[in-house]
Amino acid sequence: MSGPVKLAVVYYSATGVVAEIANALVSEAEAAGAEVRLRRVAELAPDEAVDANPAWRANLEATRAVAEVTPDDLVWADAVIFGSPTRYGNVAAQLKQFIDSLGPQWQQGLLADKVYSGFTSTSTKHGGQESTLLALYNSVHHFGGILVSPGYTDGSKFVDGNPYGTSHVDGQGQFKVDGETRQAASVQARRVVNVARALRAGSA
């Protein structure tokens, strides 16, 4: 197949950390030669919950221009990177609701044989990063997807220490997305694009 790898970066972000990582992944994937769609999932929380946290409201307003994801974005893609903050060690309901809506595409086999990966953020160290990504990856297995985690494939991964995907500890907004997280995003984005490209070449 000719043309660039088609990558969908699909995320949910409350206060903006996951959105910032998503943008870093997009930049790195584009630098690696991919055609990228950045998509956010719909907010499900009521206004009173959003308004109780100024950072949540600010991020919602700041990202309104980002298109909401549709199932067609996944059908279009050769590779998908999902992003979610942890919610009690699990995927946020907003992203899970979108994944749960993909039954028709799953039944038709339209989600199979694509590359998938994931990223996350937590407020605290050991706050559920690995369990959130592993929970997310359960869906990939049901899709018949090809899971591509970053692993310890680059020396920088021994610094951030998460072979499952890019992750960040934000400490309730105290710790901004830094060079360590951006380097992890670079490794992950390039690995996803390269593996997807190799799979496309093998099926051509």
Side-chain angles (χ1 to χ4, degrees):
M1 297 174 65
S2 60
V5 168
K6 295 178 289 186
L7 170 66
V9 177
V10 179
Y11 75 91
Y12 171 71
S13 184
T15 59
V17 176
V18 172
E20 189 170 351
I21 299 171
N23 279 290
L25 287 161
V26 168
S27 296
E28 293 294 340
E30 289 178 340
E35 178 184 352
V36 185
R37 290 184 183 179
L38 176 64
R39 297 290 187 265
R40 62 180 175 86
V41 299
E43 180 59 78
L44 304 178
D47 281 339
E48 54 266 31
V50 175
D51 290 335
N53 184 336
W56 195 349
R57 172 56 68 188
N59 177 64
L60 185 60
E61 297 303 325
T63 57
R64 285 198 184 279
V66 179
E68 283 191 8
V69 67
T70 70
D72 286 343
D73 292 312
L74 270 65
V75 174
W76 165 86
D78 300 307
V80 180
I81 306 178
F82 286 119
S84 172
T86 188
R87 290 293 182 265
Y88 310 111
N90 212 323
V91 178
Q94 289 85 344
L95 179 60
K96 187 62 166 60
Q97 190 278 334
F98 171 70
I99 291 173
D100 287 349
S101 76
L102 296 172
Q105 291 72 32
W106 168 73
Q107 289 177 328
Q108 296 174 68
L110 298 175
L111 306 179
D113 303 327
K114 300 175 185 288
V115 167
Y116 293 88
S117 202
F119 63 103
T120 190
S121 71
T122 56
S123 292
T124 60
K125 289 183 179 180
H126 311 297
Q129 294 180 349
E130 289 89 349
S131 64
T132 297
L133 292 172
L134 290 170
L136 171 65
Y137 294 158
N138 286 334
S139 296
V140 173
H141 297 305
H142 282 257
F143 291 167
I146 300 164
L147 179 59
V148 176
S149 58
Y152 290 106
T153 57
D154 185 274
S156 64
K157 293 303 296 175
F158 291 92
V159 177
D160 73 75
N162 190 343
Y164 302 98
T166 300
S167 59
H168 182 74
V169 177
D170 90 314
Q172 298 286 356
Q174 295 182 65
F175 309 124
K176 303 302 181 185
V177 175
D178 56 9
E180 181 179 301
T181 301
R182 292 181 186 281
Q183 177 60 28
S186 176
V187 170
Q188 183 171 18
R190 292 176 182 275
R191 180 165 166 77
V192 165
V193 171
N194 289 339
V195 172
R197 183 180 292 123
L199 288 169
R200 279 175 48 131
S203 64

